[in-house]
Each structure stands twice: as structure tokens, then as C-alpha cells.
Amino acid sequence: MKRKALLSALVLSPTVAQGADFDSFGAAATELVAIETSKPDLIFELGLGVGTAPIYPGSTEYGMTVNPIIRVERLNIPGLIDIGGEKSAGGLRFGPSFAVQGERISSDHEQLLGLDDVDTTYEVGGRVGYEFIFSDVLSTELYGQARYAFGGAEGLVGEVGLDATARLTPQLEVVGGVYASMAGEDYVDTYFGVTAPEAIASGGRLDAYDPGAGVTAVGVKLAARYEFIPDTFFNASAEYSRLVADAADSPVVQLGTENQFVVGVGLSRRFSFNY
């Protein structure tokens, strides 16, 4: 999903080559042979994206979102770990995973009257994947990510998926994939459950409902990333998911919709460091 930079460079000795510095076959003397510079120990990408998404899970109404863009392309801790950093290297990939679900104010939505409000939920965790390289153009990645949610809702949430990446030009890559989202019981209950007092407060519009943990949605996504100046990227994405299982059966969703759409754009910048 992430375009990797070619990190190796060749540096020639500053010595000015004279005719005697080359043998009869044209080879440079030993002291003039190119040497490889050290690779950056840390390469990461930071940026910010904006977009639109359902105001709450199952909603038919949409609002603006603001999300960070964070990617880790290489991490080298001598003697411990050395991941990423070579173009089309494949293998293990990792990075942080963040998400934010905005607050749900029940009085703002007629179909939610009677339900308790839910504060903004923050999700923090990590992502691990394994990339398979088929050519300089095409690769796939099987990945999983897990986050801990706190704030309005608490508990573990996660996602597993398969992405395919096409590097159409040195500057442009397109990623498409499928995924399944899941969540723990407390998290699911916060957004999709209805307690008996809430059912009464809704005037009978919502039945009491106690959902369990498990898969909450399946979806497809498409994203593009263009390096319009060196190490600076324009990002665009679109995503469709459908709520399933206990989430889809929730009275909250029955008064809303199982179909959820998310689109966004953003800018990001790559940084490289040596320890």
C-alpha cells in the first residue's frame, strides 16, 4: 500500500582520476570504486486528511472527518529489527493504526431519541502485514490490525484484509482491497445495543437489544497516492462497507442503514533519519 523509496546511493571518491588510475581494461583503481552509503534507520510519512463519513455507525447522515496520515516505511534497530526500506522488498510490514469516531448526540437525530449520548471514541493500536511481490508493478498484502478504544466506547476493535497494489508509474500507486471489521462486546453494545430503559425512553420505537462481540462489517476500498513533488504525496480514498451480524440486526441500524460510505483526500510528507 505504501510506495517505498530506493534508499541506496553511490558516492565516488573525491580524488580526480588520472590516466594512471585505470588499468588496461578501463577499471578504476581500488580506492576509486563506488561505495554504498548507509541507509536511513527510520523512514516514516506524516500528513493530514479530510473527508466525509456517517455521523455514527448505521447513520444515513454524513459529516466531515479529519484524520492523521501515518506510515512507517523502514525501522532499523541494530541487532533487534530491520524492516522495510527497499523498493519492492516484500516481506513483513508494520505501522501504527488510529481511528476516531465522533460523538453521537441522540437529541440531534430523531431516530435516536431516547438513547444515551456517546462521547467521541479514540482508537489506538498497530498494524502488521506481509507483502507478496509478483513484479515491479504488482504486489499484494495480507494484514491485520488491532486497536484499543477508549472514550465514548471501550474495548478492542480490529480488522483483517487483503490489499492489491499497482505501481502504475514511479509517482503513482493505486491500492484496492477487501476487509472485515470486528469488535468486542462492550464496543458493539455501545453503538448498537439498546437497554430496557432506553427502549422505554424511545416511546417504543426501539426494542431492547443486547448484541455480542464478533464481525461487525465487511467492505471494499480503493485508494490512490501520487508523489507530485519529491517525498510529498497527494492521497485519495473511497470505501464502502456493509454492517453485518449483530450490528446489522440492531434497532439503531434498522432505523438507519446497513450501507456505509467513506471518502477522503489528504497530503503527506516523507521523512528520513539516521540514529
Side-chain angles (χ1 to χ4, degrees), residues 20-58:
D21 291 326
F22 296 83
D23 63 20
S24 59
F25 295 98
T30 303
E31 63 270 19
L32 296 181
V33 174
I35 60 174
E36 183 179 349
T37 62
S38 61
K39 305 170 185 177
D41 294 310
L42 176 63
I43 303 175
F44 64 94
E45 194 175 322
L46 290 178
L48 191 67
V50 297
T52 183
I55 294 177
Y56 60 86

Side-chain angles (χ1 to χ4, degrees), residues 57-72:
S59 175
T60 58
E61 302 175 66
Y62 285 74
M64 180 180 176
T65 61
V66 179
N67 298 298
I69 298 172
I70 303 176
R71 299 186 180 97
V72 178

